Every structure is written in structure tokens, then in C-alpha cells.
Amino acid sequence: MIHGVRVEKVVTSGTFELDGGSWEVDNNVWLVGNDEEVLVIDAPHDEAKIAEAVGGRRVVAIVCTHAHNDHINAAPALAERTGAPVLLHLDDNLLWHKIHPDRKPDGYLAHDRRLTVAGTELMALHTPGHTPGAISLYAPDLATVFTGDTLFQGGPGATGRSFSDFPTIIRSIRDRLLTLPPETVVRPGHGDSTTVQAESPDLQKWIDRGY
Ligand SMILES: [Fe+2]
């Protein structure tokens, strides 16, 4: 691990809303950086709580793993406060604009785009299925991948609602996440972390059960 770079987790609470339903959720916010600068992964529910974790550090970017409301609802306010750009995959633009019709993202993250924070590199992996523009962020030097709602401890993210597709999420997980080194720590958008090695043996089980 590169000296001084660390991963911090903040949990915020609110609701996930889609297709007319509403569910109470706790969301993980991941901060990658050092004492000077930080990259924020997802900005759910509570801008003040995320800003408190950032402290006086420069925010390099606010990366949204996908544009469900429970990952982006505090992004514009956090961007306003910190001056950082909000980055998203273009294929989630439609979902973004349902939540924030008057505020565009500041930039788009294509597959393989690299971001650098505190001297460490993060690579955007397009991992569609939960949403069309879902991305994961892989940090090889930190041996970790931030998977949003694509891969959790215990299986894939939900694909039962609008804009989701199960065969697509399985392809993303099989080809772009489970191919990472086995020791890679998987840090999802909700709940506990896991590893590539811990999840890999269950791929066929998920395919068989269909979720
Ligand atoms: Fe989601």
C-alpha cells in the first residue's frame, strides 16, 4: 500500500426510490485519499456528514457508481460545498436527470478512464446490469475495488426493477470483477465488504437462482 493513502467509510441513511416504491436504506460512502486530498465515491442522503469526513481536504472528484437516488442525492450539494466535479458514466444520464433535472454531472467516466488521488490510481470499470451506467472503481495499489450496487457480499445487486438486467450484471461480474486478483477487497455501496476470492465460487449458484 502506498504510504499515507487510506480508505475510509462513512454510512448515511435515507430512502431508495424507484418505480413508485420507497425503501429505507443505509449507504456506504467511500473516501480514498491522504491528509491533503480525497476522492469521494457516492454522495448519498447527508451532505453534511460526508463533508465532515472530508474535513479540510481538497476533494479531487465525487464519483457516482450509478445514478440511483440513494447514491447521488447529496452530490450537487457536496460539489457546491467542495468545488469538486461530479463524475458519472454517460449511460446513467437518464437516471441522473430524473433526480436532478436542473443540474448536469460535471463529467463522464468511460470504461478504463483513470483517476489519480494522493498518488494512487483508480480505474473506472463499466459494470452495467444494476443500471446501464453502473461503474466500479478499481485501485490496484490498494488491492480494492469499489463496486457500488453491482457486487455485494453474497451476490449481485438487484436487477428486478426498471433499467436493470440480470444477464448483463452477471457478465459484468464474471468478466470485469471476478477476473481481478483473488485477494482484491470488494467494497460495495451497501453492507459489508468481501473479497473476489470469497465470492467467485458462488457465480454459478447466482446464475442458477436467477438473482
Ligand atoms: Fe442502486
Side-chain angles (χ1 to χ4, degrees):
M1 187 178 284
I2 291 173
H3 182 71
V5 182
R6 59 188 185 272
V7 177
E8 297 158 77
K9 174 182 168 179
V10 176
V11 178
T12 63
S13 301
T15 55
F16 166 50
E17 285 155 30
L18 192 68
D19 295 342
S22 179
W23 300 266
E24 300 284 329
V25 282
D26 291 336
N27 279 72
N28 298 332
V29 185
W30 297 102
L31 281 69
V32 182
N34 58 14
D35 290 342
E36 280 78 46
E37 59 179 27
V38 68
L39 182 133
V40 177
I41 302 172
D42 287 336
H45 312 308
D46 191 340
E47 179 245 348
K49 189 170 181 181
I50 302 167
E52 189 187 322
V54 167
R57 295 179 287 179
R58 186 173 82 85
V59 179
V60 173
I62 301 160
V63 175
C64 301
T65 58
H66 62 294
H68 279 155
N69 76 293
D70 64 322
H71 295 257
I72 66 167
N73 52 10
L78 188 66
E80 179 79 14
R81 185 197 287 243
T82 60
V86 177
L87 306 179
L88 180 75
H89 193 283
L90 183 62
D91 292 355
D92 266 13
N93 220 13
L94 181 71
L95 281 163
W96 170 277
H97 284 290
K98 286 173 182 288
I99 312 299
H100 300 302
D102 301 323
R103 205 286 190 196
K104 290 187 175 75
D106 299 295
Y108 296 101
L109 274 180
H111 179 70
D112 213 29
R113 165 90 180 273
R114 315 292 167 102
L115 298 168
T116 301
V117 61
T120 200
E121 192 173 73
L122 293 100
M123 190 186 309
L125 306 175
H126 185 210
T127 49
H130 179 69
T131 65
I135 56 164
S136 301
L137 277 183
Y138 176 47
D141 295 337
L142 303 175
T144 194
V145 62
F146 302 91
T147 55
D149 288 359
T150 297
L151 179 62
F152 293 107
Q153 182 187 72
T159 49
R161 287 183 276 268
S162 298
F163 308 106
S164 290
D165 186 67
F166 182 70
T168 304
I169 202 172
I170 286 294
R171 269 198 301 280
S172 293
I173 292 170
R174 186 193 62 199
D175 298 345
R176 290 191 166 157
L177 296 177
L178 298 185
T179 49
L180 298 174
E183 66 276 12
T184 305
V185 176
V186 174
R187 290 179 158 94
H190 306 270
D192 294 332
S193 297
T194 181
T195 64
V196 166
Q197 184 169 310
E199 301 305 323
S200 291
D202 291 334
L203 176 66
Q204 191 57 48
K205 188 180 84 185
W206 306 331
I207 294 168
D208 293 343
R209 76 185 184 190
Y211 64 92

